[in-house]
Amino acid sequence: MSNNSETLEMMEITIQTNDSSKLWFPVIGEETQALLNHLGLPDEESRTRIQNEAIEVIQRCVPPGSLRGSKTGLVIGYVQSGKTMSFTTVAALACDNGYRMVIVIGGTKTNLLKQSNDRLKKDLRLDTRSDRKWKYVENPRGDKRQNIQSTLDAWHDPSVPEDERQIALLTVMKQSDHLQHLNNLLGNMNLEGVPVLIIDDEADQAGLNNKVNQGAMSTIYRHLIELRQLLPHHSFLQYTATPQAPLLINIVDVLSPDFAEALTPGADYSGGKEFFLDNPILIKTIPGSEIPTQDNQVIDPPETFLFAMMLFYLGVAAGYIKDKGRGNRSMMVHPSQKIAPHGEYFHWVRQMNNQWKKILGQDANDPARIDLLASFNKAYRDLVRTVGDLPLFDQLVDVLPRAINQTNIQQVNTAGGKTPTIDWKNEYAHILVGGQAMDRGFTVEGLTVTYMPRGAGVGNADTLQQRARFFGYKRSYLGYCRVFLEQDVKDAFINYVEHEENIRQQLKIYRGKPLFEWKRAFFLDNALKPTRGDVLDLPLMTGGFSDDWYVPNYPHDSDEDAINKNREVVNTFWSQLTALNEKIFGKISVNKHLFASDIPLTYTFEQLIVKFRTTHPSDSQRFTGLMLQVQHYLEQNPNELCDIYLMDKGKLRLRTISKNIGRLNLFQGRSHSTDPDKYPGDRQIVVKDKLTIQIHKLNLQVEAEERDIHNVSVIAIWVPQKMEHDWVSQNQGSVM
């Protein structure tokens, strides 16, 4: 590295920071700079973004100069957004900063591992570079022990020049046998003082403990735990686009992340927002009559399927005219997880392919040809709404026979044994029919048309999102894209967009903070579950307040410190309000309350709601969900007002927590008097269209514990319908 010292010193200065959560300050050396130069990024902004985000990740890993230690980090991208580029850059930074081994745990299938390995070798230039900076081993076994050990020993050999020391780069399939071979290899090596970076690609898949509720360890999870135990100095980075499972596993789990980083996609990325919110014209609904089920046998190719194929072939024809067939154009048909239906759709594609080629070869006056072109023209009119420079229809018709004839039609599943690998270079156009093999991690080059005649399954949000292979860097040809979905799946994707952004926004707020401090709560439509239940040993609560009260049930479960703190918060807040009036319901003094009207909700949220402590899991989960709703509404309506009531002018009311019920019955009921001004009950002390807070001060008698708790401040909150929102909440307790 003879020419590197000056560069390293300069780059070190540029990334200094006062953020104490960053454990060390990496340098950007020759390896990282060469990688970024090789990637061919479109502009300096892209280069800076990828570089800086990789630095943010590695700064939270165990410093390479430490003797021991471990960290777990979660790195979140969008589906098809460039996560591989991120972890390759992190690996290059590890190389520049003294890490001696990088382990990449790839896909669960051979084709996905190959896809990942090919990309890694290409980006790091392993087959073309003149030096031997990386000692690359795929799915290592025991026969590689001496080779890898000598690579690590060279770091202590003064006769080996610094710039000739190698980094061991091991890639392994996330599969039991391969992980066991890796562990056997490492178990026979001296790894003391060896800083290691582990990258778990698609980390929410397969590696988490799906036997946690049985009090056991699933096989791959056990191998990952053993791997980490073999490495005295390592950082474990979990890369995924669907972080729900890693975020919701128990925070005492070894794979629960200590920190999280959310990656930013490039300007050309098109994800859920672009498809489902900004350009809903790109989304087409498959009617229920065309969705194959046990009760609805679809015998002939559905109309929407034929329409989707026509849209695709017109796009292929346009590609031949405008781009001379450079790049790729693809259609993905995703009918089911099961293999049998794939054959049916594959047969239909081949059938229509042959039929359309034959008809287009007929005389111009042939009735069948005229009818077919009329159908294609209908698809053309749909495309022309979103493609500004679409060639004329007659021009596309001239090229349609070529577009149809030269399209590769292929099943992508294990029907023939191994899942086939797609040769993207041999053909410009592809129609791929498959299921699970085209879900998570599978990259479809130039994907324009997606046809997915299947339901949402069991409704796991992360599983659903991983089917969105139609997301990606598509802005330049977004107008050619169409996605055909069943209505419920379409609605689920629309709901997922907000859920995804809500999680990312919350994690950005917690950047630099210990992740265990983050309250596990986020927006999610109640029709969906965040993830599979077999990896979660802590229950989830779903909810959403709408024209309803939040009322705590267990304030007596709070410790003395929380009770004192809440009393102080309430008293301070109330004393600072100036618009105090007296409102009387009925004639007796117990029915008189003080109230403050039209108080800024932002102020109330920050000074009362956020500061108020709830400790019982049930109360806490509901209260956290309520705070999410209020915060979200305030983001759109920052000038919203609310009303505050000090019940019974702040006099201490007596409430008994009975043995049988065990929870608080907070509200005083309505008066049974015949007086026309009779008291309507606490529940009615509310302004229906505004958030309303009642402050209650109580003396509690807890029968089961035979104790009294004095001067307990409790708040009840009315949430109007306009603030309605579904959420999921989980109580993680404390690691302290």
Side-chain angles (χ1 to χ4, degrees):
M1 298 186 183
S2 58
N3 298 322
N4 201 34
S5 58
E6 185 175 336
T7 302
L8 294 185
E9 182 178 356
M10 176 188 69
M11 297 307 293
E12 206 171 353
I13 294 172
T14 63
I15 58 174
Q16 289 288 347
T17 174
N18 293 322
D19 185 350
S20 59
S21 68
K22 298 172 182 176
L23 301 180
W24 58 290
F25 305 112
V27 297
I28 303 171
E30 289 179 347
E31 187 67 24
T32 304
Q33 293 181 59
L35 169 66
L36 294 172
N37 290 336
H38 169 76
L39 290 174
L41 299 167
D43 48 49
E44 189 62 29
E45 184 279 331
S46 298
R47 179 188 179 107
T48 301
R49 171 179 51 81
I50 291 168
Q51 172 185 290
N52 289 348
E53 290 185 341
I55 290 170
E56 291 287 339
V57 172
I58 203 167
Q59 279 183 317
R60 289 177 168 82
C61 295
V62 181
S66 298
L67 296 177
R68 281 178 164 263
S70 67
K71 279 282 183 182
T72 305
L74 179 65
V75 187
I76 305 161
Y78 290 100
V79 170
Q80 302 281 81
S81 68
K83 296 184 297 298
T84 303
M85 188 180 297
S86 169
F87 70 65
T88 305
T89 308
V90 172
L93 280 169
C95 172
D96 283 332
N97 287 275
Y99 284 85
R100 301 176 190 180
M101 182 185 293
V102 175
I103 300 173
V104 179
I105 302 171
T108 58
K109 299 180 178 64
T110 303
N111 65 321
L112 296 182
L113 180 67
K114 182 180 185 304
Q115 178 180 279
S116 178
N117 286 347
D118 288 349
R119 176 67 185 278
L120 197 63
K121 290 191 288 184
K122 176 185 175 183
D123 288 351
L124 293 176
R125 309 163 315 284
L126 299 185
D127 295 331
T128 59
R129 58 196 295 167
S130 58
D131 65 3
R132 295 186 176 88
K133 192 63 181 175
W134 298 92
K135 177 67 66 69
Y136 174 74
V137 184
E138 182 179 327
N139 283 327
R141 294 183 174 230
D143 60 346
K144 296 293 182 180
R145 187 194 69 80
Q146 183 59 42
N147 189 257
I148 296 171
Q149 185 69 65
S150 64
T151 298
L152 300 178
D153 291 344
W155 285 78
H156 303 287
D157 186 345
S159 69
V160 179
E162 182 180 348
D163 62 347
E164 294 181 20
R165 292 171 182 168
Q166 291 181 292
I167 294 88
L169 175 60
L170 314 181
T171 64
V172 60
M173 184 186 294
K174 197 184 298 185
Q175 187 267 348
S176 178
D177 288 344
H178 290 297
L179 288 169
Q180 184 63 65
H181 288 310
L182 174 65
N183 289 343
N184 291 341
L185 166 72
L186 297 177
N188 289 308
M189 293 174 60
N190 178 17
L191 297 170
E192 284 292 336
V194 177
V196 179
L197 181 69
I198 306 172
I199 295 168
D200 184 359
D201 193 16
E202 305 294 351
D204 61 306
Q205 184 190 31
L208 301 180
N209 188 9
N210 60 27
K211 292 186 177 180
V212 64
N213 293 305
Q214 304 171 31
M217 290 186 184
S218 53
T219 304
I220 294 178
Y221 174 80
R222 176 168 46 80
H223 289 321
L224 293 179
I225 300 304
E226 181 184 354
L227 170 64
R228 300 192 66 175
Q229 291 171 342
L230 291 170
L231 302 171
H233 179 308
H234 75 274
S235 297
F236 189 89
L237 296 180
Q238 304 167 315
Y239 271 79
T240 183
T242 45
Q244 293 85 349
L247 288 172
L248 293 173
I249 62 174
N250 200 313
I251 56 177
V252 302
D253 192 304
V254 176
L255 295 187
S256 179
D258 303 307
F259 65 90
E261 290 289 331
L263 302 176
T264 306
D268 290 335
Y269 181 75
S270 299
K273 181 176 181 294
E274 286 75 16
F275 274 91
F276 290 96
L277 300 185
D278 296 346
N279 300 285
I281 190 175
L282 304 180
I283 311 300
K284 305 294 184 182
T285 303
I286 305 174
S289 60
E290 297 184 5
I291 303 291
T293 65
Q294 287 185 341
D295 299 325
N296 182 49
Q297 300 298 316
V298 179
I299 300 174
D300 298 315
E303 289 298 319
T304 52
F305 185 51
L306 300 180
F307 188 65
M309 290 182 63
M310 290 178 181
L311 287 166
F312 172 68
Y313 281 132
L314 288 170
V316 173
Y320 280 129
I321 293 172
K322 294 176 58 182
D323 302 324
K324 299 188 180 299
R326 287 189 292 269
N328 289 107
R329 285 283 188 269
S330 300
M331 176 177 177
M332 186 176 79
V333 185
H334 199 315
S336 173
Q337 183 179 3
K338 298 178 181 178
I339 292 177
H342 304 170
E344 191 169 35
Y345 280 85
F346 178 74
H347 167 72
W348 285 339
V349 174
R350 297 291 296 269
Q351 175 187 344
M352 301 318 301
N353 215 48
N354 294 331
Q355 184 176 318
W356 288 349
K357 282 191 294 186
K358 182 178 179 180
I359 292 174
L360 289 173
Q362 300 298 320
D363 183 84
N365 296 319
D366 182 84
R369 188 177 191 276
I370 293 172
D371 288 345
L372 178 61
L373 290 182
S375 296
F376 268 101
N377 190 260
K378 181 181 177 183
Y380 177 85
R381 293 196 302 273
D382 191 275
L383 267 184
V384 82
R385 298 164 66 190
T386 57
V387 182
D389 57 350
L390 190 65
L392 296 175
F393 181 67
D394 289 343
Q395 293 177 285
L396 296 181
V397 169
D398 291 340
V399 188
L400 266 178
R402 178 189 178 188
I404 295 172
N405 187 56
Q406 294 188 2
T407 292
N408 170 45
I409 302 169
Q410 190 165 348
Q411 287 194 72
V412 184
N413 55 35
T414 56
K418 291 184 177 180
T419 303
T421 300
I422 310 302
D423 190 340
W424 300 106
K425 293 182 179 179
N426 267 355
E427 283 92 14
Y428 172 62
H430 301 261
I431 296 180
L432 308 179
V433 183
Q436 191 171 359
M438 296 195 301
D439 271 1
R440 176 187 301 272
F442 185 76
T443 299
V444 183
E445 300 291 344
L447 178 60
T448 55
V449 178
T450 300
Y451 192 81
M452 195 181 298
R454 58 183 299 184
V458 296
N460 290 337
D462 52 358
T463 301
L464 177 75
Q465 181 72 345
Q466 287 290 352
R467 295 180 195 157
R469 300 294 102 191
F470 42 86
F471 295 162
Y473 288 88
K474 304 176 183 295
R475 197 167 302 280
S476 62
Y477 60 92
L478 187 62
Y480 288 97
C481 294
R482 295 293 187 273
V483 182
F484 290 76
L485 301 170
E486 189 255 357
Q487 183 63 52
D488 287 346
V489 176
K490 175 181 172 181
D491 292 341
F493 271 115
I494 292 172
N495 291 327
Y496 190 94
V497 172
E498 184 177 37
H499 162 70
E500 181 175 53
E501 291 306 313
N502 180 244
I503 287 182
R504 290 173 63 89
Q505 181 183 24
Q506 291 196 57
L507 293 178
K508 285 179 180 179
I509 293 172
Y510 270 80
R511 172 177 281 174
K513 302 177 183 178
L515 199 56
F516 69 80
E517 294 180 357
W518 174 55
K519 293 184 177 180
R520 268 57 174 178
F522 40 77
F523 290 141
L524 181 63
D525 187 271
N526 285 342
L528 292 172
K529 296 179 289 185
T531 189
R532 58 200 186 278
D534 60 2
V535 298
L536 306 181
D537 62 339
L538 297 175
L540 300 175
M541 176 183 288
T542 60
F545 295 97
S546 175
D547 275 353
D548 196 9
W549 285 98
Y550 163 80
V551 183
N553 294 319
Y554 305 98
H556 53 290
D557 274 5
S558 299
D559 57 33
E560 184 177 354
D561 181 62
I563 291 172
N564 292 337
K565 179 67 175 176
N566 286 340
R567 185 187 309 121
E568 177 185 339
V569 167
V570 164
N571 291 342
T572 300
F573 173 77
W574 185 258
S575 67
Q576 291 173 347
L577 297 180
T578 57
L580 296 181
N581 297 285
E582 184 174 300
K583 190 165 187 175
I584 302 176
F585 296 88
K587 295 181 178 179
I588 56 176
S589 61
V590 75
N591 295 332
K592 295 179 181 179
H593 313 295
L594 296 179
F595 81 100
S597 183
D598 292 338
I599 305 302
L601 181 54
T602 298
Y603 174 80
T604 303
F605 182 72
E606 294 174 350
Q607 300 301 318
L608 177 62
I609 297 176
V610 170
K611 292 182 178 181
F612 202 87
R613 291 175 57 180
T614 55
T615 57
H616 189 276
S618 172
D619 289 346
S620 179
Q621 286 175 267
R622 291 184 298 119
F623 194 65
T624 301
L626 177 144
M627 287 195 289
L628 273 180
Q629 289 184 239
V630 176
Q631 184 177 34
H632 176 73
Y633 189 82
L634 281 172
E635 289 170 0
Q636 312 299 323
N637 303 274
N639 298 319
E640 181 71 11
L641 303 175
C642 66
D643 285 0
I644 318 290
Y645 287 85
L646 181 61
M647 306 303 287
D648 205 9
K649 294 184 179 181
K651 295 178 182 177
L652 293 171
R653 290 173 157 183
L654 178 63
R655 292 289 183 270
T656 299
I657 312 296
S658 69
K659 288 183 180 180
N660 293 334
I661 299 176
R663 62 178 183 271
L664 174 67
N665 183 9
L666 177 66
F667 289 136
Q668 177 177 312
R670 63 185 178 86
S671 170
H672 295 287
S673 168
T674 58
D675 191 309
D677 294 325
K678 65 184 180 182
Y679 185 62
D682 288 353
R683 286 185 179 274
Q684 303 306 314
I685 311 302
V686 64
V687 180
K688 294 288 186 180
D689 63 344
K690 281 200 296 186
L691 185 135
T692 303
I693 298 177
Q694 292 183 2
I695 298 173
H696 297 252
K697 296 193 173 184
L698 309 174
N699 284 332
L700 300 177
Q701 291 181 341
V702 187
E703 289 184 346
E705 302 174 19
E706 296 183 349
R707 68 183 178 113
D708 296 336
I709 311 175
H710 298 284
N711 198 2
V712 179
S713 292
V714 173
I715 58 174
I717 303 176
W718 169 265
V719 183
Q721 185 179 19
K722 63 184 180 182
M723 296 184 183
E724 179 180 23
H725 225 301
D726 290 347
W727 43 259
V728 172
S729 181
Q730 182 192 58
N731 184 68
Q732 280 277 357
S734 173
V735 296
M736 302 303 292

